[in-house]
Amino acid sequence: MYNHSAMKSSRRLTSELLRKLIQVETTAQRGELAAAEIISDELGRSGIDCRIDSWGSNRANLITQIKSGGRKSGLLFVCHLDVVAAGEGWRHPAFAGVVLGTPYGESEGKIYGRGSVDMKGGIAAAATAIKEIVDSGVRLEGDIVFFAAAGEETDSCGARRFISNFSKKLPKLAGVVIPEPTDFEVVTAHRGMLWLEVKTEGRAAHSSTPELGVNAIASMKILLDELDNYRIRFQPHKLLGGCSISVNTIAGGKEINVVPDECSIGIDIRTLPEQQSQEIVSDFEEIFAKLKQKNSQFEASVSVMREVGALETDSSCDFVKDFCSAVEAGETKAVGFTTDGPHFAPLGAPVVIFGPGKPQLAHKPDEYIDIADLEKAVEYYKNIILKFLV
Ligand SMILES: [Zn+2]
């Protein structure tokens, strides 16, 4: 279908775009603006105008819409520009975009760096596919909308901002495609996420007279013991299994000679589509009330730090069936991580996650993507566009 030199230049374009995106280090501290500008420049070379929606000193979403004849419903690609921090243990620098192997030769290379898999590889491949479709001059009958969000790894601020400001301007959509790393599996479901902060409150006192205070760490111990017996109620889900709960942070006390007046824990709960977060929060409040009955000095509170719904797209709908045939996939899967997908489900179009890279490499040291996978992804995204929009 493609001649060899065209294939090579597309591979180089995708790889170089990915390396530039890795190098701008879009962690929570640095923001996304530089990455949005790189994509805008690259798409601009094919005459595609992007809108960069920026706020604060460095936060940014990128939005572009390629207008069509309009006889068909459009496709919305949803990416995220931000990455998690590098962390420790890298053999290759996390933000250099190191290429190993013989990237443009017969044997395939790899690109290392934070974000190579999650999800700048998917961004580079989708952007290249869109460029090549536009450059080819093929007549589209449905619009392509490409959206790259800020803040997916922290609070989904970019997705929420897009939905509240732009969702009314979107064309009718056939489907939403999220190029997160799935190693080319078609993913239609993931669990949701509920992050809770639970605080116990005490009363500070000099620790030579602890009986004059109320020790918040001791209260937390009582609560943690109680949580050992707590089971969140759920009906097991056929694709997603069960709901999980894990206490992952604890902080309390300021000085070694002061009875602590506050202790807090961070709890990560992964939820199923049917579950209501308010029910879980109420469970905690009931546990607090029970402990207070036993000990009137016990004081605790719970607050929701972050909430992302679960995703469940009907895998038997026409869009998903046609999508699977465009990418030669037999069946749909669920994944363990969450995405911005649930923010887009209210648009009413089926949401599918599909992209290059091994999801188990995400958020790890020496995250890398195979250049061959980038190229495969470009071909798949072009097939998807041609299948639905031509
Ligand atoms: Zn991601």
Side-chain angles (χ1 to χ4, degrees):
M1 198 165 29
Y2 297 92
N3 70 43
H4 200 63
S5 67
M7 187 102 164
K8 266 188 177 171
S9 78
S10 136
R11 179 171 301 176
R12 183 162 288 153
L13 172 68
T14 319
S15 298
E16 286 308 311
L17 178 56
L18 172 55
R19 295 188 62 224
K20 282 187 216 162
L21 290 172
I22 291 170
Q23 286 161 1
V24 289
E25 206 177 327
T26 51
T27 55
Q29 288 72 36
R30 296 275 195 106
E32 301 83 3
L33 183 57
E37 284 168 349
I38 289 168
I39 297 166
S40 173
D41 286 351
E42 192 55 58
L43 292 177
R45 276 186 206 112
S46 293
I48 302 166
D49 281 333
C50 295
R51 171 174 177 160
I52 295 175
D53 173 24
S54 65
W55 66 97
S57 58
N58 54 20
R59 308 307 305 272
N61 281 342
L62 174 134
I63 304 137
T64 185
Q65 181 167 355
I66 292 140
K67 298 269 191 196
S68 66
R71 288 194 299 128
K72 291 188 168 181
S73 300
L75 277 180
L76 169 62
F77 287 86
V78 172
C79 306
H80 67 85
L81 296 167
D82 61 318
V83 294
V84 294
E88 301 293 311
W90 289 72
R91 283 177 300 139
H92 308 289
F95 296 106
V98 169
V99 184
L100 290 188
T102 48
Y104 310 122
E106 289 302 314
S107 66
E108 306 297 347
K110 293 175 166 51
I111 297 176
Y112 285 82
R114 173 59 79 233
S116 53
V117 161
D118 184 12
M119 62 164 290
K120 290 173 171 174
I123 295 177
T128 304
I130 292 168
K131 261 176 81 81
E132 291 187 1
I133 291 283
V134 168
D135 291 346
S136 76
V138 62
R139 185 179 158 81
L140 296 174
E141 287 301 340
D143 292 7
I144 305 172
V145 186
F146 179 84
F147 169 60
E152 189 268 352
E153 301 285 4
T154 51
D155 56 4
S156 297
C157 58
R160 286 189 281 114
R161 186 178 168 99
F162 173 80
I163 289 293
S164 60
N165 296 347
F166 291 95
S167 61
K168 292 205 171 61
K169 297 171 195 153
L170 288 171
K172 191 172 185 313
L173 295 171
V176 178
V177 181
I178 303 186
E180 289 264 20
T182 64
D183 206 11
F184 300 118
E185 309 250 48
V186 177
V187 169
T188 52
H190 62 64
R191 295 190 295 178
M193 193 162 69
L194 176 65
W195 289 355
L196 299 179
E197 184 184 52
V198 173
K199 269 187 193 163
T200 51
E201 273 168 57
R203 190 170 60 243
H206 194 284
S207 54
S208 62
T209 53
E211 67 280 4
L212 298 180
V214 176
N215 190 317
I217 293 177
S219 300
M220 186 57 81
K221 179 188 179 296
I222 295 169
L223 176 60
L224 287 169
D225 287 343
E226 190 66 28
L227 287 180
D228 274 347
N229 303 319
Y230 170 56
R231 298 284 173 273
I232 297 175
R233 291 176 301 279
F234 64 86
Q235 291 292 326
H237 184 278
K238 60 182 187 314
L239 281 176
L240 298 167
C243 163
S244 65
I245 175 167
S246 181
V247 178
N248 295 337
T249 62
I250 184 162
K254 294 182 190 88
E255 302 285 346
I256 197 156
N257 58 354
V258 178
V259 173
D261 60 356
E262 199 176 283
C263 182
S264 65
I265 54 174
I267 307 176
D268 184 357
I269 298 166
R270 299 301 167 116
T271 55
L272 298 172
E274 304 284 288
Q275 280 180 301
Q276 300 298 321
S277 57
Q278 189 47 47
E279 279 179 22
I280 298 172
V281 169
S282 302
D283 285 353
F284 275 83
E285 284 163 347
E286 269 173 42
I287 292 170
F288 303 158
K290 182 175 142 194
L291 294 175
K292 195 169 171 63
Q293 260 184 356
K294 289 187 195 157
N295 174 354
S296 64
Q297 293 191 310
F298 180 89
E299 289 293 344
S301 60
V302 57
S303 52
V304 175
M305 307 297 291
R306 188 178 185 196
E307 188 179 358
V308 180
L311 177 73
E312 189 176 35
T313 297
D314 175 9
S315 52
S316 65
C317 73
D318 288 345
F319 176 77
V320 174
K321 282 194 207 149
D322 291 345
F323 190 98
C324 287
S325 84
V327 301
E328 301 151 321
E331 50 175 357
T332 63
K333 294 260 163 66
V335 279
F337 57 87
T338 63
T339 69
D340 270 342
H343 293 288
F344 295 85
L347 295 176
V351 179
V352 161
I353 308 164
F354 175 84
K358 295 179 176 53
Q360 62 272 25
L361 299 178
H363 300 201
K364 300 257 173 67
D366 289 322
E367 179 181 346
Y368 72 86
I369 195 160
D370 287 310
I371 292 174
D373 280 354
L374 285 178
E375 181 55 31
K376 226 160 108 180
V378 173
E379 297 307 307
Y380 281 138
Y381 294 135
K382 285 199 293 194
N383 285 349
I384 292 160
I385 293 168
L386 295 173
K387 174 113 192 165
F388 289 100
L389 303 184
V390 172

